[in-house]
Amino acid sequence: KAGVTQTPRYLIKTRGQQVTLSCSPISGHRSVSWYQQTPGQGLQFLFEYFSETQRNKGNFPGRFSGRQFSNSRSEMNVSTLELGDSALYLCASSSEGWTTKPEAFFGQGTRLTVV
Amino acid sequence: SQQGEEDPQALSIQEGENATMNCSYKTSINNLQWYRQNSGRGLVHLILIRSNEREKHSGRLRVTLDTSKKSSSLLITASRAADTASYFCATVSPQGGSNYKLTFGKGTLLTVNP
């Protein structure tokens, strides 16, 4: 069974640009969550998609958006990049809700550097 | 915002010793999980404990949960150099209706010296 795949692994962008990150969850998993990890703030929850609907959202500005496709693959978009957006972006997939089979399976992350 | 707060932030021990990490949280939970992260990589699920459980074991791992104190601890026995990693607690908490959210603490950096 293939794991969670995130692409690209590394990305360098310039301030003001936009970026799209991709996450392919484990086959059969319907929930995809996104997290931003920085040394100062730790793991911050961005949003969660379940069956193509955004189910939960963290406290990030509207520049951060996402979507989920019918095959459960998810994309995360950040517009008008700022230096502070430099981080490791992690995607996690889960089979159902967080109470029945709550274990999350993580991808290796996308390391975004904004210069 | 963080739900869980790990303590200590960093821990350095010798191989063979036991390592104990603590996690405190603020709101009611359905379950609490511990994850491990090797430097700059994805997180790996270690163990889960539900709110109606008090203790779970898995190999060299032992986790306890005290819902009255809103705290959990992770014990790694007979530590090895390969256990060097960051350890995070994560809580699943209700958001209303049947909606739950998984949130993480800031983690404990464990260094096991050979």
Side-chain angles (χ1 to χ4, degrees):
Chain A
K1 199 173 187 182
V4 179
T5 303
Q6 289 189 248
T7 57
R9 289 292 310 279
Y10 302 92
L11 207 48
I12 300 176
K13 288 286 189 177
T14 305
R15 267 184 305 175
Q17 286 187 314
Q18 70 136 20
V19 67
T20 299
L21 311 182
S22 178
C23 172
S24 293
I26 291 172
S27 178
H29 284 195
R30 293 192 289 165
S31 167
V32 174
S33 297
W34 288 89
Y35 295 84
Q36 181 196 64
Q37 186 176 30
T38 58
Q41 297 299 317
L43 274 156
Q44 299 279 321
F45 172 74
L46 281 154
F47 27 66
E48 180 201 2
Y49 286 87
F50 185 84
S51 294
E52 301 181 65
T53 301
Q54 188 180 85
R55 186 161 68 171
N56 284 300
K57 190 176 187 305
N59 298 320
F60 277 79
R63 300 185 297 108
F64 292 82
S65 63
R67 59 178 174 169
Q68 186 179 33
F69 301 96
S70 58
N71 61 358
S72 290
R73 189 178 71 86
S74 177
E75 287 182 348
M76 189 193 94
N77 186 76
V78 188
S79 63
T80 321
L81 284 165
E82 301 176 359
L83 295 179
D85 297 333
S86 295
L88 180 66
Y89 289 87
L90 291 164
C91 160
S93 82
S94 174
S95 59
E96 290 288 335
W98 292 112
T99 59
T100 48
K101 290 184 180 179
E103 296 90 332
F105 296 83
F106 281 81
Q108 294 297 295
T110 294
R111 172 75 62 185
L112 172 65
T113 303
V114 182
V115 298
Chain B
S1 61
Q2 254 69 31
Q3 159 76 307
E5 293 288 338
E6 286 91 340
D7 168 53
Q9 290 187 345
L11 180 61
S12 181
I13 59 174
Q14 295 300 122
E15 216 166 18
E17 293 181 338
N18 295 341
T20 299
M21 288 158 270
N22 302 297
C23 169
S24 60
Y25 57 91
K26 298 172 185 172
T27 66
S28 65
I29 62 170
N30 176 274
N31 64 79
L32 184 144
Q33 306 173 39
W34 285 89
Y35 289 79
R36 165 197 168 121
Q37 183 182 36
N38 287 79
S39 180
R41 308 194 69 179
L43 281 74
V44 176
H45 180 267
L46 293 176
I47 193 166
L48 174 151
I49 187 165
R50 297 189 183 275
S51 59
N52 61 352
E53 298 174 315
R54 293 295 167 258
E55 189 170 310
K56 288 283 284 287
H57 295 256
S58 177
R60 294 185 295 114
L61 304 179
R62 174 184 161 231
V63 65
T64 62
L65 179 65
D66 186 335
T67 53
S68 67
K69 294 181 179 178
K70 290 186 167 59
S71 67
S72 172
S73 67
L74 173 68
L75 169 68
I76 304 174
T77 60
S79 64
R80 306 165 183 167
D83 294 329
T84 295
S86 291
Y87 292 82
F88 295 86
C89 72
T91 54
V92 171
S93 53
Q95 302 295 302
S98 60
N99 191 17
Y100 290 80
K101 191 165 76 172
L102 178 72
T103 52
F104 287 81
K106 289 197 172 184
T108 292
L109 176 60
L110 172 66
T111 303
V112 181
N113 302 299

